Amino acid sequence: MFGQILHRHGPDDRFINVNVGGFKQRLAHSVLRRFPQSRLARLSCCGSEEAILELCDDFSPAEMEYYFDRSPSFFCYVLNFYLTGKLHLDDTVCVLSFAQEIEYWGIKQRHLDWCCGERFQELMELVTDRGLGHDSESLSMSGLTLSEDGEETFEGSWCAETRRNVWLQLENPTYSRSAKAIAVASLSVVLVSIVAMCVHSLPDFHQVDENDQEIEDPVLAVLENICVVVFSLEFVVRLAVAPSPWRFLSNSLNIIDLMSVMPFYVTLIYDLVDDGDSKELENVGKVVQILRLMRVFRILKLARHSAGLRSLGATLRHSAHEMRLLVLFLSVSISVFSTLTYFVEKEAPESLLQNIPACWWWATISMTTVGYGDTFPVTLPGKLIGTLCIVSGLLIVALPITNIFNKFSIFYERQRLMDLNKKKDLSGE
């Protein structure tokens, strides 16, 4: 046992008899009631057998003994807590079981002694981070790989076997050689579409019609149409053979696929409706121009063929707390340093930092270590503040990096193992 005994009972104290998995112990009421929210303290205050059985597994009125179907070895830690007022964690105890047991007995984590509290928190964070990897949907970000549940979904549906085979061909490149060829062809179309989009931005490929209206290069337009047709057919076929259409449509990667082809059809409808003289469609035309920029989502289609990109997306989703803290720390620091810089630079005529918004811009690029050099302090106090700003930025940005990197490593390793196991399972079939 750990700690110093805080209470020694006298002959007149009242007691309760507890039996925890065969381990019997007699405890004084006065000891238990020092922690009134704990299970045994509430048990000592019960006035009816019904209330008693709500807190223990069985009760013997003849012997006045309370039975608990719990671990007797762990109850030693609980008993030590009642006697000393401090809770300790042994190296041989599973931290998850420890947390579940103290929750059952109504003991708060704050009662952990200083020598064990920090270690308990570290172990819980480690278990939580590793536990994220067991969620296959979070790891793969597709959530639609064929599992046992997927096979059960196909059972009893129309053309179940055909749909299952087509689904595997489209979703799992390791299923067969034809599935791998389909994946390579799909990836090639994505790359061609991205290259065509980049080439279209070059001045040499800009063309105008007789009305000085910008038009697309004919060759690039044909490539665009072919790519969109391929993307559309792939999306429609995958939707038709999906085991669950609603689950399919709610998946992030499939939403990206839909958004990558939607601008083409919106633009096509606009071109068919617009006669060139309608002023009502001018604003619609501006919206269509914005929608055309959504073709950049095709780059994200590469995530379907890359375990690394899927792991990165899952890491960002599960690092939302760290990202919010990073934004908060940066926002507060940028506001402080920009205000200080404004007050020391506003009297210098040659300084460009003559207002707080300009100082915000300078503080942002300084704290994030970008440093364009377009604005900078010129006074000595301003340079000292700038030095503190840069050093603070390095420290703040570095704070969450380790945690985020560890999560990425866990996600990537588990995603790689999932793909490997899936390939072994399919080869075993």
Side-chain angles (χ1 to χ4, degrees):
M1 295 300 175
F2 305 95
Q4 179 181 1
I5 304 298
L6 299 181
H7 176 83
R8 298 185 182 277
H9 53 79
D12 297 328
D13 284 337
R14 294 186 300 150
F15 297 89
I16 66 170
N17 300 313
V18 296
N19 186 332
V20 182
F23 175 76
K24 297 183 179 183
Q25 185 68 31
R26 196 178 184 209
L27 296 171
H29 283 204
S30 56
V31 173
L32 301 178
R33 289 176 180 174
R34 289 192 295 112
F35 307 99
Q37 299 302 319
S38 64
R39 181 175 289 265
L40 293 181
R42 289 186 290 139
L43 187 65
S44 65
C45 299
C46 290
S48 65
E49 187 171 347
E50 291 77 9
I52 290 175
L53 291 176
E54 289 181 1
L55 295 173
C56 65
D57 296 310
D58 200 2
F59 172 62
S60 174
E63 300 177 0
M64 292 300 295
E65 191 172 63
Y66 305 91
Y67 295 93
F68 295 89
D69 188 15
R70 309 297 294 187
S71 170
S73 59
F74 184 86
F75 184 70
C76 295
Y77 299 97
V78 178
L79 180 61
N80 180 68
F81 165 73
Y82 279 116
L83 296 176
T84 66
K86 296 295 183 181
L87 191 62
H88 292 269
L89 174 63
D90 199 316
D91 292 336
T92 60
V93 177
C94 171
V95 67
L96 284 180
S97 298
F98 184 86
Q100 293 169 358
E101 287 291 329
I102 63 175
E103 181 181 3
Y104 173 81
W105 292 106
I107 302 173
K108 304 298 181 183
Q109 294 180 8
R110 66 173 181 270
H111 292 302
L112 279 163
D113 207 353
W114 64 269
C115 57
C116 298
E118 184 175 350
R119 183 159 55 91
F120 174 81
Q121 293 297 333
E122 291 177 354
L123 291 174
M124 286 298 293
E125 290 177 2
L126 179 62
V127 170
T128 301
D129 289 341
R130 291 188 175 180
L132 293 174
H134 291 287
D135 185 355
S136 60
E137 181 172 346
S138 299
L139 284 173
S140 63
M141 287 191 64
S142 63
L144 289 168
T145 53
L146 188 66
S147 60
E148 293 180 358
D149 294 336
E151 292 180 357
E152 293 176 0
T153 305
F154 280 116
E155 292 297 331
S157 59
W158 59 277
C159 301
E161 189 61 29
T162 302
R163 289 174 57 211
R164 178 183 181 276
N165 290 332
V166 175
W167 175 258
L168 284 172
Q169 295 280 354
L170 294 174
E171 288 293 315
N172 192 354
T174 61
Y175 178 65
S176 63
R177 290 185 178 179
S178 58
K180 191 170 185 178
I182 292 174
V184 172
S186 177
L187 178 60
S188 301
V189 175
V190 173
L191 294 176
V192 169
S193 175
I194 294 173
V195 171
M197 182 179 62
C198 297
V199 171
H200 179 70
S201 64
L202 297 176
D204 294 339
F205 290 88
H206 291 178
Q207 298 184 12
V208 294
D209 57 15
E210 61 275 4
N211 297 322
D212 292 333
Q213 296 292 328
E214 184 177 347
I215 59 174
E216 293 189 7
D217 183 90
V219 177
L220 296 178
V222 171
L223 283 176
E224 170 77 6
N225 294 341
I226 294 175
C227 292
V228 170
V229 169
V230 173
F231 294 151
S232 302
L233 287 175
E234 180 187 13
F235 182 84
V236 171
V237 172
R238 291 175 60 246
L239 175 60
V241 301
S244 175
W246 291 111
R247 188 180 175 189
F248 177 89
L249 292 173
S250 62
N251 178 259
S252 56
L253 288 180
N254 298 324
I255 293 174
I256 291 173
D257 291 344
L258 181 60
M259 294 179 67
S260 66
V261 299
M262 186 178 65
F264 174 83
Y265 294 105
V266 174
T267 304
L268 182 62
I269 295 173
Y270 171 77
D271 292 338
L272 293 176
V273 175
D274 185 21
D275 56 2
D277 299 326
S278 177
K279 294 184 178 180
E280 290 80 2
L281 293 176
E282 288 183 359
N283 293 331
V284 178
K286 296 178 181 178
V287 174
V288 169
Q289 292 296 327
I290 296 175
L291 286 175
R292 285 176 177 169
L293 297 177
M294 290 174 60
R295 290 183 295 182
V296 72
F297 282 107
R298 294 176 189 175
I299 298 176
L300 301 179
K301 286 173 66 69
L302 294 174
R304 187 175 298 280
H305 308 280
S306 171
L309 286 177
R310 292 197 300 273
S311 301
L312 176 61
T315 302
L316 293 177
R317 285 201 303 157
H318 287 92
S319 302
H321 178 67
E322 290 83 356
M323 299 299 292
R324 285 195 296 267
L325 287 179
L326 177 60
V327 171
L328 175 63
F329 295 156
L330 284 176
S331 301
V332 172
S333 302
I334 287 171
S335 299
V336 171
F337 285 116
S338 61
T339 304
L340 293 176
T341 304
Y342 166 70
F343 281 108
V344 300
E345 290 287 313
K346 64 179 182 179
E347 302 298 334
E350 66 276 16
S351 176
L352 298 177
L353 303 174
Q354 297 295 323
N355 54 72
I356 291 181
C359 294
W360 280 343
W361 167 251
W362 166 80
T364 301
I365 61 177
S366 297
M367 294 203 72
T368 55
T369 67
V370 176
Y372 289 123
D374 54 344
T375 55
F376 50 87
V378 296
T379 63
L380 179 60
K383 292 179 179 179
L384 293 176
I385 294 174
T387 302
L388 293 176
C389 179
I390 295 171
V391 174
S392 301
L394 289 172
L395 295 177
I396 290 175
V397 173
L399 284 176
I401 294 301
T402 302
N403 194 12
I404 294 175
F405 176 76
N406 290 337
K407 287 184 178 181
F408 175 80
S409 300
I410 293 172
F411 281 123
Y412 181 77
E413 182 63 22
R414 292 193 176 275
Q415 179 66 58
R416 192 181 63 82
L417 291 175
M418 283 173 58
D419 293 342
L420 183 61
N421 292 334
K422 188 191 305 180
K423 185 175 182 180
K424 289 181 179 179
D425 293 340
L426 291 172
S427 61
E429 292 180 359

